[in-house]
């Protein structure tokens, strides 16, 4: 039996409404990556993590739990779970990722911050005031919850007088750049992905990376936000040989990640199919979306080495 | 026999988010769908246009299985906003069936 | 035999089309010593420029007085070689074409000896005929600068103003009580959204302002005689006095339009209250300004069924053609309906959408407004019946959901009815109009001569030729104007002189010839104190029907005189040797 769709969405939506995030994550663990970077609190330009990278370890842990529940008698209890969730944060019990995994993802955010600094960008960070963008809830069609949440997020930016937002992942880029303007009147933030900012700033490489990688485009960057050249430019300038897999660029094949929250098994099957295509081209694979990264990682099975693009860029440019 | 429900048509029309009128039923969307969803979106959208609400609801799982990856949209010759339409249907079902 | 002719004979290989099956050189040997032959040659292609020039040279240098080319059908090259003769200074009617391809080599591909023998006889016949040819000149007829236009719909009216502006007088004859035809009954039309009524009112006004147009309503063409350039026509005027008037006209344009297909009782529910033809629905739409209402009740759900009466594959005398205008008209009606009642639901049950050209944007607009298009198969047509709550119930299998049976409640079902040919037997009889298998009038050539008929000087335009929308009807009307004017503005027409002539000395006016003539070309004349028959050259078609029936042998067909026919027979029957 698949997971009860309505109740699962219900849990996620309730979480967003009551706890400002689809999965609860403490302010401490969400902001710990910035420790030691001395980023100013708020600024005209801010780096906005959207919590995606921080959330991934939790989502991975939860979906592992869900995949276990899916097709088992426990699926029946998710419905009950939604009622309980309103009082007790049940996701917190379901999902507790190992520390090493959290550190891996935190490192990626540090990389991005270092790259931006290297490119001479002056930016701040909202620390614990930063909120999740609501991407998952948007995808699931919980529009009313999303609208209220978007207003909160925008309110926070306004509070700090933010004008320019630098995003780190495609889903958050899409939410802030393309979805929020349709939900909020007078929305005036200038939103760019850090990849776009780095190219705009003509960042120069310090080290040459003589490596061959296969690139896995994010659907959202490629087809929603038209971010197709930046990642290639940055890699090529660093001396990386970029190989294109079957289905790339505008026609990239989805990693399956978006099915994660409702159909973990389907998500896994899609990821396996994509890994098969990638490994035919090169052993090292670059991703630029935390969801692609985690979902492909599960299916990689040691056959390909996955790395977020920031790991390569930081080696070349910092 | 599926009965056309004009009320469903009106509910869909009111939102303005759903628009599949340009669909010419070529089937490219189904052919390129990484989820291999046969039903999505050409047949599903016709159910919506025709006001066959029960047919739409019968396919709830399909509607939530969509990755919103827009592979279909990138290949759609009629430029139907497929992902947006799927999101609309989710939001309709969330309200109407799941009472969210 | 008249003065001995000097004849040139050219026998064509046609690149093998003839010579593969006929011994062309053998034919040459067998005919080169025929009486009158001074030049005899074969050629690979007699129609080639080089051979034509050679013929011109031979005619001039050898002082030829007759020319024979044995090649293909005269349909292909009669005029080519007449022109060769003319260029060389020889009267074109001194030329004879002998068909040894279609009528010989191609017909006898398995019998070379037989084909060769037949070719020899045919060529000898041609030579014999040529020995008796006389120089002839085309018959020149002065044209009457006036055109009869039959039918005062949008095509007829526009043709009339077009002709009038070229300085030609127009007799515009309309069967019904007022001008305007079908368009006069239409509301808003695409793309300018002017009503049919407005367009017709403007055209009628234009007609009235032109002094050289005479409009007859309640009138019919009842008789026609004469020929291109000068027809004599009789028009019966209706009303109380029922008088008939006679007029002359140089050309005739037929613009009699179409009839709307009328569904059989029960066809797609026709007869049930609420099931309307497209024309009936458009009237309803035209009457309703804000909000569609029928019988005091608001119309909320409309189902259109396309191809009613068109594109039929089965049944007795099916209308196989597409009526062409109806997809566009129905889609346009749908848009107007949405504008009149924004909340309505419209379902279009179609077989294939044919909103060609610029109408495609209408189709897109209708869909954007929310109209839903459902594709059905002719083999499983939709069914219409009475449903619950005074509604109609339409059931259909939607091919686009791969055969989902759906049931649609409807307040109105619109049968998108096509065009059928108008019933005009009397006119067809008077004008000898060619009627196609589909019942519409036939043009000579669908692409290159779209408004001409096989009757010289009689043109067709508008929907009487086949389904057309109003713009296409007007375009064809203007084409008919051009064709008429190209004849009448010249002032004269040239006709083939190969017609009958009566020797008045021999004629005793028994009138047998007049009875045999299908064209009423035999008239009476006076000759040396007696009444004799005379051939009206403008009317005679040269069919030869009169010549053999004359008890006095007083009638001859120019170019095919008795002497020529007899000599041809003799030549053909000669021993091959």
């Amino acid at each position: 039996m698949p997971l009860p769709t309505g109740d699962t969405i219900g849990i996620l939506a309730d979480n967003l409404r009551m706890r400002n995030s689809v999965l609860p994550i403490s302010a401490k663990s969400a902001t710990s990556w910035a420790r030691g970077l001395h980023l100013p609190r708020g600024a005209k330009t801010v780096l906005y993590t959207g919590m995606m990278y921080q959330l991934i370890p939790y989502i991975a842990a939860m979906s592992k739990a869900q995949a276990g529940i899916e097709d088992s008698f426990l699926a029946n209890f998710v419905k009950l779970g939604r009622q309980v969730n309103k009082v007790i944060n049940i996701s917190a019990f379901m999902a507790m990722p190992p520390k090493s995994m959290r550190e891996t993802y935190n490192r990626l955010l540090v990389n991005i911050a270092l790259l931006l600094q290297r490119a001479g960008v002056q930016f701040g960070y909202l620390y614990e005031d930063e909120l999740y963008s609501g991407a998952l809830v948007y995808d699931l069609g919980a529009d009313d919850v999303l609208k209220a949440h978007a207003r909160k997020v925008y309110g926070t930016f306004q509070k700090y007088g933010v004008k320019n937002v630098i995003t780190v992942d495609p889903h958050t880029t899409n939410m802030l750049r393309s979805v929020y303007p349709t939900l909020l009147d007078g929305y005036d933030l200038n939103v760019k992905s850090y990849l776009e900012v780095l190219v705009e700033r003509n960042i120069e490489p310090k080290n040459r990376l003589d490596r061959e990688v296969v690139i896995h485009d994010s659907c959202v960057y490629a087809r929603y936000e038209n971010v197709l050249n930046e990642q290639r430019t940055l890699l090529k300038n660093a001396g990386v040989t970029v190989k294109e897999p079957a289905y790339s660029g505008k026609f990239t094949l989805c990693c399956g990640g978006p099915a994660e929250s409702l159909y973990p098994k389907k998500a896994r099957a899609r990821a396996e199919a994509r890994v098969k295509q990638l490994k035919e081209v090169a052993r090292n694979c670059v991703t630029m979306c935390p969801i692609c990264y985690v979902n492909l990682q599960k299916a990689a099975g040691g056959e390909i080495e996955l790395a977020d693009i920031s790991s390569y860029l930081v080696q070349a440019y910092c | 026999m599926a009965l056309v429900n004009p009320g469903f048509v009106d509910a869909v029309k009111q939102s303005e988010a759903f628009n599949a009128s340009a669909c010419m039923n070529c089937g490219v969307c189904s052919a390129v769908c990484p989820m291999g969803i046969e039903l999505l979106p050409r047949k599903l959208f016709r159910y919506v246009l025709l006001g066959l609400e029960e047919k739409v609801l019968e396919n709830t799982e399909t509607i939530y299985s969509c990755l919103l990856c827009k592979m279909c949209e990138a290949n759609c010759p009629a430029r139907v906003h497929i992902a947006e339409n799927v999101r609309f249907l989710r939001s309709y079902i969330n309200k109407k069936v799941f009472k969210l | 035999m008249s003065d001995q002719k000097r004849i040139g004979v050219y026998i064509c290989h046609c690149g093998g089309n003839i010579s593969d099956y006929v011994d062309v050189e053998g034919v040459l040997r067998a005919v080169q010593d025929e009486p009158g032959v001074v030049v005899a040659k074969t050629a690979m292609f007699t129609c080639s420029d080089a051979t034509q020039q050679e013929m011109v040279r031979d005619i001039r240098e050898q002082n030829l007085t007759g020319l024979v080319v044995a090649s293909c059908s005269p349909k292909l090259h009669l005029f080519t070689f007449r022109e060769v003769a003319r260029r060389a200074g020889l009267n074109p009617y001194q030329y004879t074409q002998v068909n040894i391809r279609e009528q010989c080599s191609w017909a006898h591909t398995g019998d070379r000896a037989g084909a060769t023998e037949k070719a020899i006889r045919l060529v000898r016949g041609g030579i014999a005929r040529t020995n008796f040819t006389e120089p002839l000149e085309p018959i020149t007829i002065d044209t009457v600068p006036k055109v009869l236009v039959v039918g005062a719909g949008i095509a007829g009216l526009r043709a009339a103003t077009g002709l009038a502006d070229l300085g030609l007088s127009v007799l515009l004859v309309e069967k019904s009580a007022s001008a305007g035809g079908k368009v006069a009954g239409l509301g808003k039309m695409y793309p300018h959204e002017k009503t049919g009524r407005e367009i017709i009112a403007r055209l009628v006004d234009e007609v009235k302002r032109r002094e050289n147009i005479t409009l007859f309503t309640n009138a019919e063409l009842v008789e026609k005689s004469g020929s291109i350039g000068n027809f004599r026509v009789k028009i019966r005027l209706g009303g109380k006095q029922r008088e008939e008037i006679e007029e002359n006209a140089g050309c005739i344009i037929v613009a009699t339009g179409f009839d709307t297909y009328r569904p059989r009782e029960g066809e797609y529910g026709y007869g049930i209250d609420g099931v309307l033809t497209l024309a009936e629905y458009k009237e309803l739409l035209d009457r309703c300004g804000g909000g569609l209402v029928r019988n005091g009740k608001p119309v909320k759900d409309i189902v259109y069924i396309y191809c009613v009466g068109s594109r039929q594959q089965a049944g007795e005398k099916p209308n196989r053609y597409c009526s062409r205008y109806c997809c566009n008209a129905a889609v346009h009606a749908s848009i107007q309906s949405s504008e009149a009642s924004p909340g309505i639901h419209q379902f279009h049950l179609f077989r294939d959408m044919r909103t060609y050209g610029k109408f495609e944007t209408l189709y897109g607009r209708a869909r954007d407004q929310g109209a839903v298009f459902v594709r059905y198969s002719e083999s499983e047509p939709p069914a219409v019946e009475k449903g619950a709550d005074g509604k109609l119930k339409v059931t259909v299998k939607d091919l686009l959901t791969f055969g989902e049976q759906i049931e649609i409640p409807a307040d109105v079902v619109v049968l998108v009815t096509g065009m059928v040919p108008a019933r005009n037997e009397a006119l067809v009889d008077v004008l000898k109009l060619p009627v196609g298998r589909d019942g519409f009038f036939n043009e000579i050539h669908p692409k290159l001569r779209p408004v001409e008929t096989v009757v010289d000087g009689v043109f067709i335009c508008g929907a009487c030729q086949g389904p057309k929308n109003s713009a296409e009807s007007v375009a064809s009307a203007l084409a008919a104007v051009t064709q008429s004017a190209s004849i009448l503005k010249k002032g004269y027409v040239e006709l083939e002189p190969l017609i009958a002539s009566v020797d008045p000395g021999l004629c005793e006016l028994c009138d047998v010839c007049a009875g045999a003539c299908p064209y009423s070309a035999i008239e009476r004349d006076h000759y040396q104190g007696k009444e004799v028959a005379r051939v009206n050259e403008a009317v005679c078609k040269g069919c030869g029907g009169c010549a053999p029936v004359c008890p006095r042998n007083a009638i001859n067909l120019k170019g095919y005189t008795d002497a020529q026919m007899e000599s041809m027979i003799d030549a053909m029957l000669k021993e091959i040797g």
Side-chain angles (χ1 to χ4, degrees):
Chain A
M1 174 183 175
L3 293 174
T5 307
D7 296 310
T8 308
I9 299 170
I11 290 177
L12 298 172
D14 291 343
N15 276 343
L16 188 68
R17 190 160 49 224
M18 301 187 298
R19 303 181 183 107
N20 286 332
S21 180
V22 278
L23 291 179
I25 172 170
S26 72
K28 194 176 143 221
S29 69
T31 59
S32 62
W33 69 272
R35 220 171 289 145
L37 288 172
H38 310 294
L39 301 175
R41 172 177 289 269
K44 200 175 161 199
T45 300
V46 296
L47 177 69
Y48 177 62
T49 73
M51 316 263 269
M52 291 285 284
Y53 278 97
Q54 300 95 311
L55 273 170
I56 288 297
Y58 293 87
I59 290 174
M62 187 183 101
S63 88
K64 199 170 164 191
Q66 277 182 325
I69 297 171
E70 192 185 19
D71 292 336
S72 87
F73 76 98
L74 282 174
N76 295 312
F77 291 96
V78 175
K79 188 175 173 60
L80 179 66
R82 186 182 173 202
Q83 303 310 319
V84 176
N85 183 54
K86 287 181 177 167
V87 190
I88 307 164
N89 185 354
I90 61 159
S91 315
F93 297 106
M94 286 169 71
M96 201 52 215
K99 190 163 183 263
S100 65
M101 192 176 183
R102 279 181 279 157
E103 279 172 356
T104 307
Y105 282 90
N106 279 349
R107 184 67 222 163
L108 302 177
L109 292 171
V110 175
N111 290 347
I112 293 166
L114 292 175
L115 283 161
L116 288 167
Q117 285 176 340
R118 169 81 177 74
V121 184
Q122 302 285 320
F123 63 94
Y125 177 44
L126 299 184
Y127 292 91
E128 65 281 353
D129 279 351
E130 184 184 86
L131 294 170
Y132 173 60
S133 70
L136 181 60
V137 167
Y138 172 70
D139 282 358
L140 294 174
D143 291 355
D144 295 343
V145 176
L146 177 73
K147 195 164 180 178
H149 183 73
R151 209 169 284 130
K152 268 190 237 169
V153 176
Y154 185 46
T156 311
F157 284 123
Q158 283 179 311
K159 192 176 97 186
Y160 283 98
V162 174
K163 291 287 170 215
N164 306 307
V165 177
I166 301 173
T167 53
V168 300
D169 72 274
H171 291 268
T172 307
T173 311
N174 175 240
M175 290 302 290
L176 261 59
R177 184 149 83 186
S178 304
V179 178
Y180 278 23
T182 66
L183 302 173
L184 306 171
D185 291 335
Y187 182 83
D188 59 355
L189 294 179
N190 175 23
V191 181
K192 277 182 187 147
S193 148
Y194 80 96
L195 296 171
E196 293 170 301
V197 174
L198 293 181
V199 172
E200 225 174 66
R201 294 275 175 149
N202 284 319
I203 188 170
E204 292 286 337
K206 277 179 153 172
N207 311 304
R208 209 180 143 75
L209 302 180
D210 278 317
R211 229 172 290 172
E212 197 176 85
V213 300
V214 55
I215 195 163
H216 168 77
D217 285 293
S218 140
C219 302
V220 177
Y221 267 155
R223 290 191 280 265
Y224 286 68
E225 293 302 323
N226 198 30
V227 178
L228 284 164
N229 299 324
E230 287 79 0
Q231 53 271 53
R232 286 168 174 75
T233 305
L234 291 169
L235 288 170
K236 283 175 186 165
N237 287 352
V240 177
T241 307
V242 178
K243 309 274 266 185
E244 302 287 345
Y247 301 105
S248 76
K250 192 99 190 152
F251 300 100
T252 183
L253 190 73
C254 180
C255 65
E260 188 72 42
S261 60
L262 292 177
Y263 304 99
K265 286 191 171 163
K266 286 185 184 180
R268 177 67 184 257
R270 296 323 314 150
E272 280 166 5
R274 184 55 167 169
V275 166
K276 213 172 143 204
Q277 289 181 342
L278 295 168
K279 77 175 182 204
E280 277 173 22
V281 182
R283 188 177 160 77
N284 290 307
C285 175
V286 174
T287 61
M288 55 215 72
C289 163
I291 295 179
C292 296
Y293 181 83
V294 70
N295 207 49
L296 292 174
Q297 190 69 276
K298 278 188 295 184
E303 294 191 63
I304 52 169
E305 288 293 332
L306 285 158
D308 187 87
I309 191 168
S310 66
S311 320
Y312 281 97
L313 299 181
V314 81
Q315 285 175 54
Y317 292 92
C318 292
Chain B
M1 182 73 67
L3 183 65
V4 168
N5 173 1
F8 179 54
V9 176
D10 291 341
V12 172
K13 217 187 277 177
Q14 256 169 19
S15 82
E16 284 181 13
F18 187 90
N19 185 354
S21 66
C23 173
M24 53 173 103
N25 259 269
C26 68
V28 163
C29 50
S30 307
V32 300
C33 177
M35 292 297 273
I37 302 172
E38 185 270 336
L39 180 75
L40 259 177
R42 52 175 172 159
K43 214 162 146 185
L44 176 68
F45 289 176
R46 275 203 73 74
Y47 288 152
V48 179
L49 290 175
L50 289 167
L52 307 179
E53 186 177 16
E54 18 168 336
K55 285 275 167 192
V56 172
L57 299 183
E58 269 172 30
N59 289 286
T60 297
E61 184 177 344
T62 305
I63 293 166
Y64 285 93
S65 295
C66 171
L67 298 165
L68 300 175
C69 76
K70 284 200 184 180
M71 186 66 132
C72 44
E73 266 190 59
N75 287 280
C76 176
R79 300 189 187 175
V80 175
H81 298 156
I82 302 172
E84 192 52 33
N85 288 349
V86 170
R87 267 192 13 79
F88 165 77
L89 290 177
R90 287 179 179 180
S91 118
Y92 181 82
I93 295 170
N94 285 346
K95 285 200 192 90
K96 168 109 186 192
V97 183
F98 301 143
K99 315 284 182 204
L100 291 175
Chain C
M1 196 181 290
S2 59
D3 307 338
Q4 184 64 51
K5 280 266 176 19
R6 295 175 59 76
I7 298 172
V9 181
Y10 299 83
I11 303 158
C12 190
H13 282 255
C14 197
N17 274 302
I18 295 168
S19 54
D20 285 355
Y21 314 105
V22 169
D23 175 8
V24 170
E25 298 303 327
V27 175
L28 175 68
R29 284 193 298 277
V31 304
Q32 63 193 2
D33 298 324
E34 285 296 297
V37 175
V38 292
V39 176
K41 292 177 177 173
T42 62
M44 187 50 73
F45 289 104
T46 47
C47 57
S48 69
D49 282 354
T51 313
Q52 288 191 32
Q53 277 163 21
E54 191 180 341
M55 289 181 200
V56 169
R57 213 165 39 240
D58 288 349
I59 293 168
R60 287 188 180 144
E61 289 173 4
Q62 304 284 328
N63 293 319
L64 300 184
T65 55
L67 180 65
V68 175
V69 176
S71 57
C72 52
S73 163
K75 274 195 168 179
L76 215 62
H77 280 314
L78 176 72
F79 290 96
T80 310
F81 296 117
R82 273 193 187 167
E83 187 58 22
V84 168
R86 201 191 54 74
R87 287 210 306 273
L90 183 66
N91 182 284
Y93 293 94
Q94 308 271 49
Y95 164 69
T96 301
Q97 175 130 359
V98 179
N99 182 353
I100 59 166
R101 191 177 75 172
E102 284 85 343
Q103 291 178 356
C104 191
S105 67
W106 283 355
H108 310 291
T109 52
D111 181 6
R112 188 174 170 85
T116 304
E117 190 177 307
K118 180 172 174 181
I120 292 168
R121 292 184 191 282
L122 288 168
V123 180
R124 283 180 178 165
I127 294 165
R129 173 185 182 270
T130 308
N131 267 312
F132 288 90
T133 53
E134 283 170 17
L136 297 172
E137 292 304 325
I139 298 160
T140 303
I141 306 278
D142 287 340
T143 54
V144 177
K146 188 185 282 187
V147 179
L148 169 70
V149 177
V150 186
I154 192 164
L157 288 167
R158 188 63 188 88
T161 57
L163 291 162
D165 290 348
L166 284 163
L168 296 166
S169 300
V170 180
L171 303 166
L172 181 53
V173 175
E174 170 56 44
K175 193 159 71 175
S176 63
S178 61
K182 296 282 192 297
V183 176
L186 294 178
K188 281 185 182 165
M189 292 172 79
Y190 180 76
H192 46 37
E193 304 300 319
K194 285 212 170 63
T195 65
R197 287 183 299 276
E198 288 169 309
I199 292 170
I200 292 300
R202 186 173 141 191
L203 260 179
V204 170
D205 187 49
E206 296 269 338
V207 164
K208 284 183 181 159
R209 278 197 277 142
R210 284 163 175 78
E211 286 182 354
N212 52 354
I213 302 178
T214 314
L215 171 64
F216 301 94
T217 51
N218 282 321
E220 271 181 272
L221 174 68
V222 289
E223 263 182 56
K224 181 217 78 172
S225 59
S227 69
I228 181 168
N230 191 357
F231 290 109
R232 184 98 188 126
V233 294
K234 193 182 277 180
I235 299 162
R236 181 178 296 151
L237 304 178
K240 283 168 196 154
Q241 64 272 43
R242 287 190 70 80
E243 66 175 303
E244 289 184 349
I245 58 163
E246 288 205 34
E247 282 276 358
N248 283 7
C251 287
I252 300 172
I253 294 177
V254 178
T256 47
F258 67 98
D259 277 342
T260 299
Y261 176 80
R262 193 163 177 78
R264 284 175 285 104
E265 187 72 20
E267 187 175 357
Y268 295 107
Y270 196 63
I272 303 175
D273 186 45
V275 181
L276 312 173
T277 64
L278 179 60
E280 290 162 350
Y281 179 65
K282 281 181 75 81
E283 278 172 37
L284 171 76
L285 192 56
D286 198 24
R287 283 199 304 272
C288 299
L292 276 172
V293 177
R294 188 171 175 277
N295 294 345
K297 279 193 294 187
V299 175
K300 289 178 182 159
D301 303 293
I302 306 172
V303 172
Y304 300 80
I305 300 175
Y306 284 61
C307 292
V308 175
S310 302
R311 305 176 67 213
Q312 298 166 322
Q313 298 301 323
E316 203 184 326
K317 287 191 77 183
N319 296 331
R320 293 185 187 277
Y321 53 85
C322 161
S323 286
R324 191 173 170 80
Y325 88 104
C326 14
C327 281
N328 303 328
V331 166
H332 187 237
S334 173
I335 290 170
Q336 284 184 281
S337 306
S338 281
E339 282 162 6
S341 295
I344 55 167
H345 306 112
Q346 301 190 80
F347 295 87
H348 296 252
L349 316 188
F350 70 97
R351 280 169 58 196
D352 295 292
M353 286 308 292
R354 294 178 171 183
T355 47
Y356 58 93
K358 296 181 183 178
F359 295 105
E360 182 68 11
T361 57
L362 273 183
Y363 182 28
R365 222 161 90 200
R367 284 181 297 170
D368 286 345
Q369 285 177 340
V372 178
F373 288 77
V374 176
R375 186 159 190 238
Y376 75 89
S377 156
E378 195 205 6
S379 57
E380 289 173 282
V384 182
E385 53 197 314
K386 278 187 181 157
D389 317 323
K391 284 228 169 200
L392 295 160
K393 183 173 101 178
V394 183
T395 47
V396 63
K397 192 163 153 185
D398 173 39
L399 296 185
L400 299 182
T401 43
F402 313 101
E404 198 70 59
Q405 284 281 355
I406 58 172
E407 183 186 315
I408 313 168
D411 299 308
V412 166
V413 172
V414 180
L415 306 185
V416 181
T417 41
M419 293 183 175
V420 292
R423 299 186 69 84
N424 275 314
E425 285 86 351
L427 184 72
V428 169
D429 196 43
V430 168
L431 290 179
K432 306 278 183 288
L433 284 166
V435 180
R437 282 170 101 176
D438 53 21
F440 292 99
F441 299 148
N442 267 356
E443 68 283 358
I444 288 186
H445 191 289
K447 289 184 172 59
L448 301 177
R449 302 174 74 180
V451 296
E452 292 163 79
T453 69
V454 289
V455 187
D456 285 344
V458 175
F459 302 97
I460 50 177
C461 67
C464 70
Q465 181 270 336
K468 283 182 192 64
N469 66 29
S470 55
E472 291 157 353
S473 290
V474 166
S476 76
L478 294 175
V481 167
T482 309
Q483 290 302 305
S484 310
S486 73
I487 293 163
L488 303 184
K489 295 304 278 184
K490 207 165 78 175
Y492 64 93
V493 287
E494 286 190 339
L495 304 178
E496 277 279 276
L498 304 175
I499 55 165
S501 69
V502 179
D503 182 342
L506 294 175
C507 179
E508 288 182 345
L509 194 64
C510 63
D511 239 6
V512 173
C513 54
C517 178
Y519 301 102
S520 310
I522 307 290
E523 293 173 355
R524 292 186 181 193
D525 202 1
H526 291 278
Y527 178 78
Q528 293 182 354
K530 64 173 179 178
E531 239 192 337
V532 294
R534 187 180 66 89
V535 175
N536 180 334
E537 294 187 329
V539 180
C540 177
K541 300 283 178 202
C543 73
C546 54
V549 299
C550 177
R552 301 281 296 167
N553 265 348
I555 305 182
N556 248 324
L557 201 56
K558 286 177 188 164
Y560 296 93
T561 60
D562 288 353
Q564 281 175 310
M565 299 310 283
E566 282 159 17
S567 74
M568 283 173 83
I569 293 166
D570 288 343
M572 284 179 175
L573 293 178
K574 245 169 59 174
E575 284 294 321
I576 291 298

